[in-house]
Amino acid sequence: MYNPHFSARSSTWPSSKMPFQIAMQTNRPKFVAQKFVVCALYKFTALDHFASLRIPVQTKLQEYKIRGTILLAKEGINGAIAGTRPNIERFLSWLNQQPAMRELEVKHSVAEQLPFKRARVKLKKEIVTMGVADIDPRESVGAYVEPKDWNNMLDDADVLVVDTRNEYEIKVGRFVGRFAHATNPQTTNFREFPAFAAQHLNPAKHKKIAMYCTGGIRCEKSTAFLKQQGFDQVYHLKGGILKYLEQIPQSQSKWQGECFVFDDRVTVDHQLRKGSYDQCHACRLPITDQDKQSEKYQAGVSCPACFERSTKADKARYAEREKQVKLAQSRGQDHIGPEKFNFLF
């Protein structure tokens, strides 16, 4: 993402201080072999007229037969969309023609089927919700670390690495460095991050902090927040996990597991293809084949993670919804239930 306050020289981890360099190789997904491209995009930018963009953006999504969700707010744009590669490129080209939308942060992955059921444009107070006023990544943000330099950050004993994602995402996969796993804030949503920082992070003790998330957007705000709190040397993985998996060969990777994504694929593997996890359609959390063997699992109704949290009335409602889904499928139709994804790329 373009940021006028940081040059390419000053906004990246100084490579001269790295103990080693990773060879410049590519691990980009092979779009030719896949039917659809999934695109995560964002940019913090001044959109005082964001409400007026809703209809034009919605019109273009429909014109290019693209599904997914675009969030617009005064602070910028955030989205996760999918379509054929030519149509995704056309849509991105159109966005790039809008003065405030140039130089978006974009990550690509692939899918055999469209992982979204509809196309929506929503107006929000924040494009990623932290719930803290006066946080502006355009004014102050942590220094970007390119994916090719991230392994060095993980292996630096002087750096505290923090995973800014939620607990259920971290269980699916995480980075592992030479000294320890990345710190897990044990949050259930991004609004809890400021409280974690207040209780566990100290500018006097933690001189260097590096953070990462799925696609980079949460780190834009979390690093901006820490800078506001008096932390000096704050870094974050540019483009997030998705960009790292896109650029770093698996043979040189420090990523373990799969990456949770906020769409119907549930997770992606190191090749950015659909992973091995399924999803509980009651609570939207990732589940394994072992979870499905639990007596607390009922398709569309409950899983071990949410069984105790839902009431009998909830389960009855979910069961009826699952019944309607099956009936729609038998007729060859899509049943579009309430989407609970709150993607935070």
Side-chain angles (χ1 to χ4, degrees), residues 59-318:
T59 299
K60 285 298 177 181
L61 291 176
Q62 294 172 343
E63 178 182 345
Y64 296 133
K65 298 179 175 60
I66 291 172
R67 294 183 185 179
T69 301
I70 298 287
L71 306 183
L72 297 172
K74 187 176 182 180
E75 67 179 8
I77 181 172
N78 179 20
I81 56 176
T84 64
R85 185 182 185 187
N87 282 346
I88 288 291
E89 290 178 347
R90 292 184 185 105
F91 179 73
L92 292 177
S93 177
W94 176 79
L95 275 183
N96 192 58
Q97 294 172 25
Q98 316 310 309
M101 302 288 192
R102 292 170 185 159
E103 301 189 51
L104 294 165
E105 175 65 47
V106 177
K107 279 79 57 180
H108 293 102
S109 54
V110 292
E112 291 286 352
Q113 299 178 332
L114 283 171
F116 303 104
K117 293 181 175 62
R118 65 191 109 182
R120 298 190 301 181
V121 181
K122 303 174 71 174
L123 305 182
K124 293 285 187 176
K125 291 183 179 180
E126 300 177 77
I127 57 174
V128 58
T129 305
M130 177 181 272
V132 178
D134 302 323
I135 298 294
D136 189 351
R138 293 174 298 150
E139 295 297 328
S140 178
V141 71
Y144 299 119
V145 182
E146 295 291 339
K148 67 183 179 65
D149 295 325
W150 183 246
N151 284 4
N152 302 288
M153 187 70 76
L154 293 171
D155 287 340
D156 190 331
D158 295 328
V159 175
L160 174 68
V161 180
V162 178
D163 191 329
T164 65
R165 299 173 304 150
N166 298 318
E167 178 76 16
Y168 62 88
E169 299 173 75
I170 295 173
K171 286 182 178 179
V172 171
R174 65 194 305 186
F175 282 111
V176 177
R178 180 180 301 169
F179 300 98
H181 293 291
T183 297
N184 177 0
Q186 298 182 326
T187 57
T188 57
N189 63 71
F190 192 47
R191 284 179 175 270
E192 297 174 4
F193 180 82
F196 158 78
Q199 294 175 18
H200 300 285
L201 302 181
N202 186 335
K205 178 182 178 181
H206 303 110
K207 300 296 185 181
K208 296 180 182 179
I209 297 178
M211 294 187 279
Y212 67 89
C213 57
T214 307
I217 187 169
R218 279 178 277 190
C219 289
E220 298 279 354
K221 276 204 169 178
S222 59
T223 59
F225 174 76
L226 290 190
K227 296 286 284 187
Q228 186 187 74
Q229 301 303 307
F231 292 83
D232 182 27
Q233 298 185 63
V234 184
Y235 307 89
H236 60 113
L237 175 59
K238 191 174 190 297
I241 300 162
L242 295 177
K243 185 62 70 174
Y244 180 93
L245 297 181
E246 181 181 321
Q247 294 187 358
I248 304 303
Q250 190 166 0
S251 61
Q252 297 181 15
S253 174
K254 290 184 177 291
W255 177 259
Q256 291 188 356
E258 298 179 5
C259 179
F260 182 87
V261 289
F262 296 85
D263 59 55
D264 286 349
R265 294 172 300 169
V266 187
T267 64
V268 293
D269 61 18
H270 208 292
Q271 284 69 45
L272 293 173
R273 293 180 171 84
K274 178 175 169 50
S276 62
Y277 284 78
D278 201 347
Q279 186 176 55
C280 172
H281 293 292
C283 66
R284 300 295 186 182
L285 294 182
I287 54 176
T288 64
D289 288 339
Q290 183 177 356
D291 291 328
K292 294 180 182 179
Q293 302 304 314
S294 170
E295 61 182 11
K296 296 182 179 180
Y297 174 75
Q298 182 179 346
V301 178
S302 65
C303 72
C306 68
F307 184 85
E308 304 295 342
R309 300 201 310 260
S310 59
T311 65
K312 288 184 178 180
D314 291 331
K315 291 181 177 67
R317 188 170 69 255
Y318 299 154

